[in-house]
Amino acid sequence: MSKRTLAQLAAAHLDGQRVVVRVDLNVPMADGKVSDDTRIRASLPTIQYLHGKGARVVLLSHLGRPAGGPDPKYSLKPLVRDLEKQLGFPVTFLADPTSADAVSQVRHLPRGGVALAENTRFYSGEETNDPELAGRFAALGDLYVNDAFGSAHRAHASTEGIAHRLKPAVAGFLMDKELRFLGEAVDHPKRPFVAILGGAKISGKIDLVEALLAKVDRILIGGAMACTFFRAMGLDTGNSLVEADRVDMAKSLLAKAGDKLVLPSGAVIAQKLESGAGTREVARDQIPPGWAVYDIDSGSVTAFAAIIAGARTVIWNGPMGVFETPPFDHGTLGVARALAAATASGAVTIVGGGDSAAAVVAAGLENQVTHVSTGGGASLEFLEGKPLPGVAALDDA
Ligand code: ADP
Ligand code: MG
């Protein structure tokens, strides 16, 4: 079901109007400063567009996980300067967006003015989607734009409740882009359609494996996830990260998937997870006691890359190894490069997952794939076919 978007609203809907925009400014902070402004930059197109149309813009976002109530450590106030620098004009801070004072501050914004509200999670009721709080957020505006794809899988007052109280309620540019890329890939994939799954745990991604098996032509599995499958095949896995309580499930997935599911033929193993640790490449049935799998081996990278090269749609979620600790980043880098090469020859390639996205960015390949999703958990739930409450609540197109 496609959703009404900001681009579809007539200029008269925006000029002079108060627009509440839920953005994702949940940025990493270090020493009270923004240490990575990717999310700020990703939210600029919607803000600049509204500014240009003469709207009065109110930005709502959460930051971190404050434990019940205001906590200066999680204040959004330091982001005012970052926003001002990027936008090139002053930004008003709403210290308490639930107050009557905030409503008046917004009414006094000039046409095209922008205000940033304090962390939505400072107010009890945000995470329980309290209608009273949603009503207070709604009182700040005349219409609602949700541009926070990364928070859309949560039914919170600022993502879901408010969308029922403030109409029109539409998707912003970033939200729309995410829904189009992920939606197209899943609903109308050009084939062959290949998924690559990895990461630490299979338990969080069972629904994903099940949902994708029904849709894709191939699933390539790497990361520690592969070790649970190795165990299901009766192989010794040494000290590798295996989820013992998921081995039976892995067995039934293997039986169901047949040759759709491709596991690594070998692994990079070590006795310790350390940069300088001695490593070996072994076949998957040669993992000795005392050693653990930390990456897929070079033969598997080559095999995966060949399958990726033949694909026309690729979805990737989860690194192939402990990429944070070189040399166990080879498999992940190899897959990232294979995605870039497939993109150059016309495939649609999508990276969804916080750590896999970070790996692609670290490799400097973010502009050589079709789309890097900004929403880790949200993209996972979307690919699983679950409705995202923050999206469902928006107006239908
Ligand atoms: P994403 O955020 O892309 O969805 P996950 O959060 O599921 O990915 O998994 C990422 C984590 O998986 C990384 O921290 C990585 O170190 C870990 N990981 C990958 N392969 C292994 C392995 N063989 N053993 C232990 N941890 C692994
Ligand atoms: Mg992760």
Side-chain angles (χ1 to χ4, degrees), residues 106-124:
V106 174
R107 289 205 186 277
H108 287 93
L109 282 176
R111 283 177 65 247
V114 174
L116 172 66
E118 183 55 287
N119 193 342
T120 53
R121 290 195 184 165
F122 283 6
Y123 308 95
S124 73

Side-chain angles (χ1 to χ4, degrees), residues 35-176:
S35 58
D36 176 354
D37 69 351
T38 307
R39 286 186 167 150
I40 299 180
R41 284 185 286 111
S43 61
L44 291 178
T46 290
I47 302 171
Q48 279 159 337
Y49 179 84
L50 289 167
H51 166 75
K53 296 285 179 191
R56 298 179 162 86
V57 184
V58 180
L59 304 175
L60 293 182
S61 176
H62 75 284
L63 175 65
R65 297 174 182 274
D71 177 344
K73 205 166 74 194
Y74 296 109
S75 174
L76 277 168
K77 192 161 187 208
L79 273 75
V80 167
R81 283 198 49 212
D82 294 86
L83 278 166
E84 288 179 334
K85 259 191 261 169
Q86 306 255 8
L87 290 167
F89 53 82
V91 169
T92 302
F93 186 63
L94 307 178
D96 180 2
T98 65
S99 65
D101 197 42
V103 175
S104 127
Q105 272 181 288
V106 174
R107 289 205 186 277
H108 287 93
L109 282 176
R111 283 177 65 247
V114 174
L116 172 66
E118 183 55 287
N119 193 342
T120 53
R121 290 195 184 165
F122 283 6
Y123 308 95
S124 73
E126 164 68 341
E127 288 166 81
T128 54
N129 200 7
D130 175 38
E132 148 90 23
L133 182 64
R136 286 186 186 267
F137 289 151
L140 296 168
D142 302 305
L143 61 133
Y144 177 68
V145 174
N146 192 342
D147 213 19
F149 177 73
S151 303
H153 56 315
R154 304 203 168 103
H156 290 176
S158 70
T159 62
E160 206 272 350
I162 186 173
H164 296 290
R165 283 167 185 79
L166 208 47
K167 297 289 182 186
V170 302
F173 294 127
L174 177 62
M175 174 73 90
D176 180 47

Side-chain angles (χ1 to χ4, degrees), residues 6 40 68 83 91 97 127 141 157 183 196 233 245 268 273 282 285 300 330 354 357 362 374 378 382:
L6 176 55
I40 299 180
L83 278 166
V91 169
E127 288 166 81
I196 310 150
M233 294 161 73
D245 56 340
V268 177
L273 181 54
V282 294
D285 57 0
S300 302
H330 286 184
T374 54
F382 186 93

